Amino acid sequence: MSRVRLLNPGPVTLSERVRRALLCPDLCHREPAFAALMREVRDGLARVYPGTEAEFSTVLFTGSGTAAVEAMVGSLVPRDGTALVICNGVYGERMGAMVEAHGKRLVTVPHAWTDAVRLDAVERALRDDPSITHVLVVHHETTTGRLNDLRALAAVCRDRGVAMLVDGVSSFGGEPMDLVGWPIDAVAATANKCLHGVPGVSFVLVRTAALRRGSASPSLYLDLHRNHAAQEDDTPLFTPAVQVLAALREALAELHEDGGWQARHARYRALSQRLRQSMAELGLRQLLHDPEHAGCTLTAFELPDGHRFDDLYAALRARDFVIYPGQRTLFERIFRLAVMGDLTRSDIDELGAALADILAGGGGAGSPVALRTAAGSPGGSGMPVG
Ligand SMILES: *Cc1c(COP(=O)(O)O)cnc(C)c1O
């Protein structure tokens, strides 16, 4: 059986060890063995960044990364508070949409998707509007591969006395973050990106002090505080994704044995450097013009002249690689390659060789398949991919 290599930013290529963990014995979520599993996973997540466990608590959700982000935003921004959302990509815009959906006051600092966060504009917005209680930011903007500078933003927020809520969905476990030292009240993330688990479980790491302020959640299912209280009690509110949690426990053990987030970061760095180098050798340009601000997990490349995403996707799919399109207006312009998951240097080298062959006209379009989200929606339908 050929091995499919997923270069999309989650769900990721699984290790055999994590895949096998899905075949755990049947387990009811009201049994002591499940309580132990849930504790192990919650504690393991709080310890991914050592030292965090003393001040933060983990709340699990059965749902994708967006569920955790929405639980964080909905429960922690007060009903009469104001959220300042930094938008330089799809996921920042999505947090803004959540604030509006929950009927809370929204201020945005808009940017072009390819731009770095303008700290002066954030500072000005905070000065102009003292009702702002929280700054919402995406750490790694998967739209473009930019790693927003949380350290610099943290300094601005600390000066103004506002708390940060972070979408860390595609950075948690793979990029540096100082949850304790920065004025971060919560970070939301998921099992199936840098942590190399299976999709279906997401989580919020929330500062215990922020939980004391009570929940502002308009949602029953995504109430951070109620879920937290129930999980502290070993009695999850709703049916959890038992097997997915078993796989996440294994993925966390694997992360730990491999050397923790630092080792994973180093591994992603090395793979991305190799990838960027081999794409450059093929004449492909990166979307970001300040690549020193790119994260280590994903790179956006301009589509080569004369190639549409769908054709490139199909030709690479026939060689067992899955690549990812750009979103909305970037659909016509870029494709994205992530190095998360159980990928090796030889996978990246094979990708380079496959792409060289395709660009030289070899192999045709491969099998006639297209990514469903991408097909027929060049920048159009407004449906975000991912
Ligand atoms: C993938 C991603 C999400 C949402 O993930 P889903 O699991 O598809 O809900 C949110 N934010 C960022 C930055 C992401 O990369």
Side-chain angles (χ1 to χ4, degrees):
M1 194 179 75
S2 63
R3 177 171 162 272
V4 176
R5 286 148 296 184
L6 298 179
L7 305 172
N8 50 292
V12 297
T13 308
L14 298 177
S15 71
E16 279 314 305
R17 175 178 174 180
V18 169
R19 193 192 317 282
R20 272 200 307 272
L22 286 169
L23 298 174
C24 56
D26 292 336
L27 181 61
C28 169
H29 64 298
R30 301 298 177 206
E31 293 186 272
F34 179 79
L37 168 62
M38 186 168 68
R39 287 242 157 233
E40 230 183 295
V41 170
R42 291 178 63 221
D43 292 349
L45 290 169
R47 274 197 292 264
V48 167
Y49 293 91
T52 306
E53 69 277 13
E55 292 186 35
F56 284 74
S57 194
T58 314
V59 188
L60 298 169
F61 292 91
T62 296
S64 78
T66 304
V69 176
E70 188 153 14
M72 170 179 80
V73 171
S75 306
L76 295 176
V77 177
R79 286 173 201 241
D80 58 356
T82 301
L84 177 119
V85 182
I86 295 172
C87 296
N88 59 350
V90 167
Y91 298 98
E93 290 181 8
R94 188 178 291 178
M95 283 202 291
M98 287 171 186
V99 172
E100 287 192 313
H102 299 165
K104 292 168 187 174
R105 256 196 86 225
L106 169 69
V107 174
T108 55
V109 182
H111 296 74
W113 281 2
T114 44
D115 281 356
V117 173
R118 286 181 290 113
L119 288 174
D120 55 336
V122 175
E123 250 173 334
R124 198 172 328 116
L126 289 174
R127 227 181 5 245
D128 288 351
D129 189 343
S131 76
I132 294 167
T133 50
H134 293 81
V135 168
L136 278 49
V137 64
V138 178
H139 188 199
H140 173 254
E141 238 318 341
T142 318
T143 312
T144 58
R146 177 179 297 282
L147 193 67
N148 284 323
D149 187 350
L150 285 195
R151 179 186 303 281
L153 189 64
V156 171
C157 291
R158 187 180 296 104
D159 276 355
R160 306 297 314 179
V162 298
M164 300 159 76
L165 301 179
V166 178
D167 171 344
V169 176
S170 62
S171 57
F172 189 89
E175 298 282 8
M177 53 178 101
D178 182 1
L179 293 174
V180 173
W182 298 336
I184 290 177
D185 269 1
V187 57
T190 188
N192 60 279
K193 294 203 187 188
C194 304
L195 297 178
H196 297 187
V198 175
V201 165
S202 55
F203 58 93
V204 177
L205 275 188
V206 55
R207 206 178 277 271
T208 329
L211 276 176
R212 287 196 210 104
R213 286 195 285 276
S215 180
S217 180
S219 162
L220 187 79
Y221 192 82
L222 297 178
D223 186 322
L224 192 65
H225 298 63
R226 280 191 71 217
N227 278 282
H228 176 258
Q231 289 171 24
E232 282 291 292
D233 231 13
D234 294 330
T235 54
L237 282 180
F238 311 105
T239 309
V242 177
Q243 287 81 356
V244 176
L245 284 169
L248 181 54
R249 169 169 59 189
E250 209 58 36
L252 285 167
E254 202 171 67
L255 172 68
H256 186 68
E257 288 163 29
D258 287 349
W261 76 265
Q262 293 97 331
R264 185 144 300 170
H265 176 73
R267 166 177 158 173
Y268 288 163
R269 258 279 154 246
L271 290 176
S272 284
Q273 266 163 12
R274 176 70 194 138
L275 176 72
R276 289 163 191 172
Q277 181 194 344
S278 68
M279 294 299 118
E281 282 161 14
L282 294 173
L284 295 178
R285 283 184 304 270
Q286 291 184 38
L287 172 69
L288 294 180
H289 292 302
D290 51 352
E292 69 278 13
H293 295 296
C296 66
T297 58
L298 174 141
T299 317
F301 295 98
E302 308 247 354
L303 282 164
D305 286 343
H307 290 266
R308 295 174 57 248
F309 175 81
D310 287 343
D311 303 332
L312 213 51
Y313 164 78
L316 282 166
R317 188 65 184 80
R319 292 160 164 91
D320 295 319
F321 288 106
V322 174
I323 64 169
Y324 213 52
Q327 286 150 298
R328 296 189 224 158
T329 53
L330 288 178
F331 178 82
E332 301 276 13
R333 228 178 115 191
I334 63 165
F335 66 106
R336 292 178 290 169
L337 301 175
V339 297
M340 296 172 238
D342 194 42
L343 299 172
T344 63
R345 160 88 185 223
S346 59
D347 290 320
I348 301 304
D349 286 345
E350 275 178 50
L351 173 74
L355 207 49
D357 185 42
I358 291 162
L359 296 182
S367 49
V369 287
L371 265 195
R372 301 239 332 149
T373 43
S377 64
S381 75
M383 271 306 292
V385 175

